[in-house]
Amino acid sequence: MAAGGGRPPGPDSSLEPYVQTRIFKIIVIGDSNVGKTCLTFRFCGGTFPDKTEATIGVDFREKTVEIEGERIKVQVWDTAGQERFRKSMVEHYYRNVHAVVFVYDVTKMASFTNLKMWIEECNVHAVSPLVPKVLVGNKCDLKDLIQVPSGMALKFADAHNMLLFETSAKDPKESQNVESIFMCLACRLKAQKSLLYRDMEKRPGRAQKLEPSRDAHGKSACPC
Ligand SMILES: Nc1nc2c(ncn2[C@@H]2O[C@H](COP(=O)(O)OP(=O)(O)OP(=O)(O)O)[C@@H](O)[C@H]2O)c(=O)[nH]1
């Protein structure tokens, strides 16, 4: 599931331990303007960009994290929400993907109802049910403008076997919550991989589906 990576040994590699870093590819999907770019900036750089432009094709950001002593590179693919900027890239988004983040804007009902379409696209590209998926309602700082009630989002998340995170890329107080989205996925991928190995040892050729734990805000739902 996870691609290998790391630095090839240099001339004096005998002096340094060669550490392999696993790479987890996580794609961020959803309507244009829901805040995909801002969420990835918040996670990878710890900031909220002053100004963003519509993503064309895809932008890559990454962050190396440590989970239970293992260094893991979380490679975030910030995809384009506008059809005209994404159509030539869609195949690449889904190829060898390890996890999917579906984003809607809590102040825009259309971005929530369109989630069905994004999930359908994901299915069309044969993304395995083993690939963890989470739902993110962004722009929660705009409290007076909220159109998508938490209960409705939670029901949808439950029906699609996903955790729900309601957050804001803009509000610095929410940065921990944004971090949790990606860290939770990275933890699950790490755990899933070792479970898969264990299962394969018992029954070669068969994989076991992991059921995610449920939590309205995903805060304590990580397996780590
Ligand atoms: N209030 C508020 N505004 C946000 C938040 N996140 C993003 N925005 C604003 O929403 C607009 C769109 O943000 P982007 O991150 O560029 O949206 P996107 O989903 O990447 O859009 P595409 O690249 O077209 O797919 C920008 O004006 C951001 O400043 C948030 O949490 N709160």
Side-chain angles (χ1 to χ4, degrees), residues 28-41 48-56 59 61 78-82 85-86 103 105 107 118 137-142 145 167-171 174 178:
V28 185
I29 298 281
D31 275 12
S32 179
N33 238 34
V34 295
K36 299 182 296 297
T37 298
C38 293
L39 284 166
T40 61
F41 258 85
F48 181 76
D50 290 336
K51 199 170 165 284
T52 57
E53 278 166 17
T55 304
I56 297 171
D59 282 332
R61 286 177 198 102
D78 170 22
T79 69
Q82 286 189 47
F85 293 146
R86 70 196 315 279
V103 185
D105 175 348
T107 72
W118 295 116
N138 189 37
K139 306 198 187 180
C140 285
D141 56 293
L142 301 173
L145 301 174
T167 195
S168 162
K170 186 172 187 176
D171 183 353
E174 289 282 322
V178 174

Side-chain angles (χ1 to χ4, degrees), residues 53-119:
E53 278 166 17
T55 304
I56 297 171
V58 66
D59 282 332
F60 305 100
R61 286 177 198 102
E62 59 185 32
K63 181 167 166 172
T64 302
V65 299
E66 195 172 314
I67 303 172
E68 292 166 345
E70 182 186 353
R71 278 164 63 85
I72 289 169
K73 200 177 273 184
V74 179
Q75 185 182 79
V76 184
W77 287 46
D78 170 22
T79 69
Q82 286 189 47
E83 175 61 21
R84 63 189 166 133
F85 293 146
R86 70 196 315 279
K87 58 177 177 239
S88 60
M89 290 294 295
V90 179
E91 300 295 326
H92 299 281
Y93 296 161
Y94 292 101
R95 192 170 300 147
N96 299 324
V97 67
H98 299 121
V100 185
V101 177
F102 291 105
V103 185
Y104 66 96
D105 175 348
V106 295
T107 72
K108 212 162 168 208
M109 184 55 88
S111 71
F112 180 75
T113 51
N114 283 342
L115 286 168
K116 281 199 195 108
M117 185 196 85
W118 295 116
I119 291 171

Side-chain angles (χ1 to χ4, degrees), residues 5 7 13 19 33 49 54 56 81 89 95 102 147 159 164-165 173 202:
R7 186 165 48 85
S13 61
V19 183
N33 238 34
I56 297 171
M89 290 294 295
R95 192 170 300 147
F102 291 105
Q147 289 185 0
L164 169 67
F165 293 82
K173 292 197 289 296
K202 278 187 281 173

